[in-house]
Amino acid sequence: MSDAVDDVLQRSLGALDELRGRIRGEVRADRLSRALYSTDASIYQMTPSGVVLPRTVEDVCETVRACARHGAPITARGAGTGLAGGAVNIGVQLDCSRYLNRIIAVDAARRMAVVEPGVVLDELNASLAPMGLHFAPDVATSSRATLGGMIANNSCGAHSVLVGRTVDHVLALEAVLSDGSVARWGEGAALAELERTRGPIRPSRLAVDAERTLAGIATEFTSEIAARYPKVMRRNGGYALDRLRSEGGRINVETVLCGSEGTLAIVTAAVVKLMPLPTCRGLVVAHFTELLDALAATPVCLEHGPAAVELIDKLILDAARESKHGAARDRLIEGDPRGILVVELYDDSPSQLSERLHAVAADLRQRGMGYAWPVVTDAAEQAGVWNLRKAGLGLLMSRPGERQPYDFVDDCAVDPARLRDFIARFMAVLREEGVEECSYYAHASVGCLHVKPVLNLRRLSDVRRMLRVADRISALTLEFGGALTGEHGDGLVRSCWLERMFGPALVGAFARVKAAFDPGNILNPGKIVSPRGMADNLRWRPVEDELPRCSAGQPGRESAAHSPVELTVLDFSAQGGMAGLAEMCSGVGQCRSRLVGTMCPSYMATGDERDTTRGRANALRLALGDHGLLHGLDDPALDEVMDLCLSCKACKTECPTGVDMAKLKAEWLCRRNEHAGVPWRSRAVAAMPGLAKWVSLAPGVANAVMQSRWTRAAMERLIGLDRRIAPPRLANQTFRGWWRRASRNISRRGKAAASGEVVYFVDTWTNYYAPQVGIAAVRVLESLDFRVRIVDNVCCGRPAISKGLLHDSARLAERNIALLAPFAEAGVPIVGTEPSCILTFSDEVPQFVRSNEARQVARQAMMIESLLAAHTDALRRLALPGRSRVVYHAHCHQKAMPGSADAMAALGAVCDATEIPSGCCGMAGSFGHEVEHYDVARAIGEQRLFPAVRARDGARVAVSGFSCREQIAHHTAERPAHLIEVVAEVLRAGNVVS
């Protein structure tokens, strides 16, 4: 640590110590928090001294005052999804996203809202949708982007050609200045709304002096501003001196704060303009054999008044094939284009919209631009296109290994009429510099493509190449009259190029603005003014030459991180080891989404960065690397960051880069168990299948003992299983007991099996606790003319996997594969009714048993719903008259792997079924039973699932997972049925065995 950094650390720790007990918010200076806030979604890493999570504006004021007294830097942070390093710094991090996230007021009549900086864009728009309104700038990270971060970056989004930038929708701002005082600027009506909702304030001397300085600069630099600021809409570099004066002559301080990246003030509230939602929308998806041809067609598309014209290139389209977006890509994309233009139009009339969409397609066809021009008006298909576009960055970063597409010349903006020629020259620069791969995508409509060259920034040669490319592209952008910073901010990556763009006079003016607002230089220093070097503070310590290193689980392969070899039980060879898989986290923060999807359930409940997939991946990356923050897999900080991971596997598919945290956690737990010993609770959970076999011999006695309050209290004290939730009750008869008696039925043995054989995998929970599920499965399968085979399988190993007992799980896997392999080789389906059990054969088992037999079993193993989905016509024929209403909740592992479409198809064949957009139930095996997790598990279910169950309006609740059934029953008093029970009940009874 350098003397300067050490001095900042000591001054910052002094400020943090002063704040403890003085503010309502949280003050953290532990190693884990410092590690988690050391990065964002950029290529940079700087370790802060600590983190403050304020609950009130006064908390922000106190924090700034303390930092000012100690001379400690302070950097405000939103969702941490910035690509330029704007939120990365030493000193104190101020995270406003966890608590300062209220929508304070909405005035639909005047189309304005008052919000705190931590409000997430999608959550704001969800609350506005019933009023027919929205906040129009729509960044790709809208599911987690905060309004404060959008204001700091002056974010734009895909529809900026129609609606403009964030600054065009900010009517007034409340901000804390560097002396801890509160200031407000904006239009009269908006300022009055701030005063009404926030109370009156007195302007401070610093606020008055800063405004006076801005007025002087507006007069002094009028000609220089006119000459040097780019004449393109997407211009965000430096401070917005070109927006200083309004038509009435007022100094627009609020517009200067937009895009200032927290270097001038910290926004604590905003009055934002709202717009009506579009009535009708549709797409033309134009396909091109060459990317430059797509760019040449952009001006033609603009003649039709589009709301958006977005480019998606071949690298993204190819990456989508291997992701959850693969089906949408295959359905919507024709052939193998090198680029597509997504042209969106809005209209008030469906007929007029259709006419305009077909006019765009016809115009392009007549001009010979492109080879396919499908018109998309179906809402679901439009969503598929936009989801693919929004996932662009994550898809690009989903490739394992050290060569990655990086953001450092990703934000240049030029006149769209010159975009094709600009990118052609851009490509020539990259060829001359030896860059073989590059991605080009995003906002063709406004001439702002996100260009991401593929480099290896762990090598000094490529770091030097990055600097040469940035130098040449900055000059090229200036030649084309464009802006280096189109929307992502200057941050650490572009601030050093501002003098070339604006000249020394305006850079001097920037310094005067900074000094007027922040004379102590404590607000996010090193950005815009007095910048750090572009190649300083990279995430990696680049080296000149590297020898091949061994990776975890695969000797001889090149690793994705500077870390010692970790011998693993699970197979990490495809990702370059545990460190390589953790490194695949790009930081884009999809795991901070709360309204949709399942990832990350614990973050949805707590709002804490340490409970995100990103937080866990960052902690593992740092522990496995040589960063000096965390130290190896035995670092106690990992216990804290992993504690609330439910191993739901949502990140396996919902994370754009495929960071499989359940896999990483299982391997980490295995390592911890080997070094620290296996906790008693882990042993108890893993032993449950074996224990159930013995206690099921006397289920009445066992239930009486286990359900008693004395036993539950003892279990809470001894192994930490919460007494508030009862253990599941054993059935009076096991499924295998029923099968032994029923299989003696001669009519069953002699029954024809027109559909062939099927193996039903009997899981622990069905056998001992819910045999009615297995009985229903047999009845339905036999109704469909399958011959059902039952084998003497053992536990799938899921309980042991969840507690990191991977060697035990591997032994179970070997026994099951030996039993099931002959059936799999013969092509017999292997079905199960418990998702977490049967899907273990698709995921972990082939990693334990690395053989052809295991892979064959994995191919044949499926949830019973997937088999039923292939026989929906037969189900319809067998169904009783009348259709009941069912709402369905899918298990997390099911959502993460096969998905819920087959389940909905099976249910839809026999009843009117609706899927609950429910996320995770919160139980996750034993998680919801554990004392320290009980409240979090309940909060997870309360996010979406429990309210939907309570509002079912008479519909029956169906599930696939045993743990989901137990969690819903405990917290809602509703006893769901398994999906297969619902199907069995509505089939005709004539040809089933009772």
Side-chain angles (χ1 to χ4, degrees):
M1 184 182 298
S2 70
D3 291 342
V5 173
D6 186 57
D7 179 56
V8 170
L9 174 63
Q10 296 306 315
R11 286 188 274 118
S12 301
L13 290 176
L16 293 169
D17 287 341
E18 185 179 311
L19 289 169
R20 288 188 176 89
R22 293 186 57 178
I23 65 173
R24 292 175 55 193
E26 299 178 44
V27 179
R28 301 177 180 175
D30 58 284
R31 289 183 305 120
L32 176 60
S33 296
R34 297 177 64 208
L36 299 185
Y37 285 83
S38 65
T39 58
D40 53 9
S42 71
I43 60 178
Y44 297 102
Q45 178 171 310
M46 299 177 73
T47 306
S49 308
V51 184
V52 174
L53 295 90
R55 292 179 182 271
T56 64
V57 175
E58 185 54 34
D59 282 355
V60 178
C61 295
E62 284 288 349
T63 303
V64 173
R65 290 184 197 118
C67 288
R69 281 191 291 271
H70 289 266
I74 178 170
T75 300
R77 175 185 176 108
T81 59
L83 299 173
V88 177
N89 221 322
I90 56 177
V92 174
Q93 286 268 318
L94 187 75
D95 183 353
C96 297
S97 67
R98 189 174 188 190
Y99 299 120
L100 290 179
N101 53 17
R102 295 180 304 145
I103 301 170
I104 298 167
V106 175
D107 188 332
R110 293 194 294 172
R111 294 183 180 173
M112 66 170 62
V114 184
V115 297
E116 290 183 326
V119 170
V120 172
L121 176 58
D122 275 358
E123 296 174 22
L124 172 63
N125 282 337
S127 72
L128 296 172
M131 308 173 203
L133 299 171
H134 70 146
F135 182 74
D138 59 338
V139 293
T141 54
S142 60
S143 64
R144 59 273 191 198
T146 63
L147 269 290
M150 292 179 67
I151 291 167
N153 273 4
N154 191 20
S155 300
C156 305
H159 296 91
S160 62
V161 67
L162 180 70
V163 302
R165 300 167 289 173
T166 294
V167 67
D168 301 312
H169 300 264
V170 170
L171 302 176
L173 290 177
E174 174 186 276
V176 174
L177 302 183
S178 62
D179 63 351
S181 63
V182 178
R184 293 174 186 157
W185 288 284
E187 301 175 4
L191 277 177
E193 186 68 4
L194 273 179
E195 183 159 331
R196 184 185 72 81
T197 56
R198 310 284 283 176
I201 62 167
R202 295 180 59 185
S204 68
R205 178 178 295 278
L206 182 61
V208 173
D209 290 345
E211 187 169 349
R212 185 180 299 116
T213 297
L214 287 179
I217 287 174
T219 301
E220 182 180 347
F221 290 92
T222 300
S223 59
E224 192 74 8
I225 291 169
R228 298 300 300 236
Y229 272 78
K231 305 304 185 289
V232 294
M233 189 189 75
R234 290 295 195 90
R235 58 190 191 281
N236 264 5
Y239 295 130
L241 304 184
D242 58 330
R243 299 195 300 261
L244 265 176
R245 288 194 185 277
S246 66
E247 291 182 2
R250 182 177 67 86
I251 296 298
N252 298 320
V253 181
E254 71 279 7
T255 66
V256 177
L257 296 183
C258 288
S260 65
E261 303 182 48
T263 62
L264 303 180
I266 296 172
V267 172
T268 51
V271 182
V272 296
K273 180 171 66 176
L274 308 178
M275 294 182 68
L277 285 165
T279 306
C280 303
R281 60 178 81 195
L283 306 176
V284 177
V285 184
H287 296 50
F288 299 85
T289 56
E290 296 297 334
L291 184 135
L292 291 177
D293 293 342
L295 301 182
T298 299
V300 175
C301 298
L302 291 174
E303 294 174 7
H304 293 265
V309 182
E310 293 286 292
L311 176 74
I312 305 176
D313 78 342
K314 182 175 170 56
L315 273 183
I316 293 177
L317 294 173
D318 287 349
R321 279 196 180 98
E322 306 302 321
S323 77
K324 67 176 181 177
H325 302 284
R329 183 219 178 277
D330 293 340
R331 186 172 62 252
L332 298 167
I333 304 302
E334 302 177 21
D336 189 25
R338 296 196 69 82
I340 63 171
L341 285 181
V342 179
V343 185
E344 183 172 51
L345 301 183
Y346 293 165
D347 212 300
D348 293 330
S349 160
S351 59
Q352 290 177 0
L353 175 64
S354 177
E355 182 180 333
R356 291 177 59 208
L357 290 169
H358 285 91
V360 172
D363 193 2
L364 293 173
R365 184 184 301 110
Q366 290 166 5
R367 297 178 191 236
M369 292 180 164
Y371 68 84
W373 311 267
V375 171
V376 182
T377 54
D378 176 77
E381 291 194 348
Q382 289 185 68
V385 174
W386 282 117
N387 287 338
L388 175 60
R389 159 62 191 93
K390 286 188 172 187
L393 175 60
L395 289 171
L396 290 173
M397 299 296 289
S398 63
R399 51 195 284 167
E402 297 182 348
R403 286 175 46 79
Q404 295 288 339
Y406 287 115
D407 299 279
F408 64 95
V409 284
D410 62 298
D411 209 23
C412 304
V414 299
D415 185 331
R418 305 186 70 186
L419 182 59
R420 188 258 175 219
D421 294 339
F422 173 71
I423 294 299
R425 293 273 299 280
F426 204 131
M427 290 176 169
V429 169
L430 295 180
R431 283 194 301 270
E432 292 164 10
E433 293 293 344
V435 178
E436 299 174 356
E437 288 184 277
C438 185
S439 178
Y440 307 82
Y441 71 99
H443 317 305
S445 59
V446 287
C448 183
L449 292 192
H450 298 330
V451 183
K452 301 180 187 296
V454 175
L455 298 174
N456 179 0
L457 294 184
R458 294 166 182 80
R459 297 178 65 98
L460 277 171
S461 57
D462 268 13
V463 172
R464 297 185 186 109
R465 182 177 285 114
M466 175 184 75
L467 291 170
R468 291 196 304 271
V469 169
D471 179 53
R472 295 181 66 180
I473 295 305
S474 66
L476 179 67
T477 305
L478 195 61
E479 178 187 335
F480 272 76
L484 278 176
T485 304
E487 66 172 323
H488 292 157
D490 297 320
L492 293 168
V493 75
R494 277 178 285 273
S495 292
C496 60
W497 303 106
L498 289 178
E499 186 162 348
R500 172 176 286 177
M501 175 62 62
F502 293 103
L506 286 182
V507 166
F510 295 162
R512 285 170 56 184
V513 172
K514 170 70 169 173
F517 279 87
D518 181 22
N521 193 31
I522 64 169
L523 298 179
N524 203 6
K527 320 291 172 62
I528 302 178
V529 172
S530 301
R532 298 178 173 92
M534 181 184 184
D536 297 344
N537 304 295
L538 295 176
R539 281 195 186 196
W540 313 275
R541 296 178 182 176
V543 295
E544 189 65 61
D545 293 297
E546 294 179 300
L547 296 173
R549 296 183 301 279
C550 294
S551 67
Q554 187 71 27
R557 289 175 60 91
E558 188 177 356
S559 171
H562 301 272
S563 61
V565 174
E566 294 289 346
L567 298 177
T568 59
V569 181
L570 296 171
D571 185 3
F572 291 87
S573 58
Q575 299 87 25
M578 287 183 71
L581 181 53
E583 284 271 8
M584 286 176 64
C585 175
S586 62
V588 296
Q590 181 74 35
C591 46
R592 289 176 62 101
S593 304
R594 286 186 287 217
L595 293 185
V596 295
T598 303
M599 178 182 70
C600 181
S602 52
Y603 173 77
M604 292 183 189
T606 68
D608 197 323
E609 174 68 19
R610 71 184 63 188
D611 298 323
T612 62
T613 304
R614 177 176 71 179
R616 297 177 185 115
N618 269 330
L620 277 172
R621 174 180 65 85
L622 294 167
L624 289 167
D626 57 354
H627 303 276
L629 287 169
L630 304 179
H631 308 288
L633 293 179
D634 298 325
D635 194 303
L638 294 182
D639 290 77
E640 186 176 355
V641 78
M642 293 293 185
D643 180 50
L644 295 188
C645 175
L646 282 74
S647 298
C648 67
K649 299 194 180 185
C651 48
K652 187 179 179 73
T653 49
E654 291 185 27
C655 171
T657 57
V659 175
D660 187 347
M661 190 50 59
K663 180 177 179 178
L664 286 165
K665 181 183 179 182
E667 193 69 51
W668 166 76
L669 277 173
C670 183
R671 166 68 176 262
R672 190 188 69 172
N673 290 338
E674 291 172 354
H675 284 251
V678 183
W680 280 108
R681 184 167 68 198
S682 295
R683 291 190 185 279
V685 169
M688 280 189 68
L691 180 63
K693 177 180 179 179
W694 295 108
V695 297
S696 68
L697 298 175
V701 174
N703 284 332
V705 172
M706 296 301 294
Q707 301 292 323
S708 76
R709 59 175 182 162
W710 305 109
T711 301
R712 286 158 66 174
M715 290 174 66
E716 181 174 288
R717 286 194 301 272
L718 294 174
I719 58 174
L721 295 180
D722 200 296
R723 72 180 74 189
R724 288 173 288 181
I725 182 167
R729 300 182 69 91
L730 289 158
N732 291 327
Q733 173 186 242
T734 67
F735 169 78
R736 288 187 184 276
W738 172 85
W739 172 259
R740 283 192 295 271
R741 284 187 292 275
S743 62
R744 290 195 290 267
N745 186 312
I746 294 175
S747 63
R748 175 191 298 267
R749 291 205 306 265
K751 185 177 178 63
S755 299
E757 286 190 323
V758 60
V759 173
Y760 176 53
F761 179 84
V762 184
D763 63 272
T764 297
W765 319 110
T766 298
N767 187 43
Y768 298 111
Y769 299 97
Q772 72 277 9
V773 173
I775 295 168
V778 171
R779 288 175 173 170
V780 171
L781 290 170
E782 291 192 342
S783 295
L784 296 173
D785 290 334
F786 281 102
R787 181 186 179 195
V788 180
R789 300 291 299 269
I790 305 293
V791 299
D792 292 328
N793 59 273
V794 293
C795 173
C796 67
R798 173 58 54 197
I801 293 170
S802 72
K803 297 303 179 183
L805 299 171
L806 299 186
H807 297 289
D808 295 349
S809 305
R811 287 189 287 270
L812 294 169
E814 289 170 354
R815 293 175 62 183
N816 281 324
I817 292 301
L819 285 168
L820 297 172
F823 295 99
E825 187 175 354
V828 177
I830 302 166
V831 303
T833 46
E834 179 55 38
S836 62
C837 296
I838 194 66
L839 295 176
T840 302
F841 289 97
S842 306
D843 195 356
E844 289 91 353
V845 167
Q847 301 182 64
F848 292 137
V849 185
R850 303 180 193 183
S851 65
N852 288 330
E853 291 81 3
R855 288 187 286 273
Q856 285 179 325
V857 170
R859 285 191 290 269
Q860 293 300 114
M862 67 186 77
M863 292 177 59
I864 196 169
E865 293 94 314
S866 296
L867 187 66
L868 299 185
H871 296 80
T872 52
D873 289 341
L875 289 175
R876 291 189 186 96
R877 288 194 301 271
L878 294 169
L880 291 166
R883 293 173 66 83
S884 58
R885 290 175 52 245
V886 172
V887 293
Y888 175 68
H889 165 71
H891 188 280
C892 291
H893 290 189
Q894 173 187 3
K895 294 174 188 174
M897 288 183 276
S900 57
D902 288 346
M904 292 305 296
L907 276 175
V910 299
C911 61
D912 293 328
T914 303
E915 184 174 1
I916 301 172
S918 47
C920 179
C921 73
M923 179 59 82
S926 67
F927 184 91
H929 284 272
E930 295 164 359
V931 171
E932 69 273 28
H933 299 148
Y934 177 90
D935 292 330
V936 172
R938 178 174 57 191
I940 289 169
E942 290 290 359
Q943 288 289 309
R944 279 176 277 158
L945 175 58
F946 299 164
V949 168
R950 297 184 187 111
R952 67 193 183 282
D953 192 24
R956 191 169 185 185
V957 180
V959 298
S960 289
F962 179 78
S963 59
C964 304
R965 175 197 297 238
E966 294 293 302
Q967 179 78 333
I968 292 170
H970 177 67
H971 290 289
T972 70
E974 172 69 20
R975 190 70 184 177
H978 192 285
L979 172 148
I980 200 67
E981 294 180 84
V982 174
V983 174
E985 288 172 12
V986 296
L987 294 189
R988 294 195 177 104
N991 63 342
V992 299
V993 178
S994 62

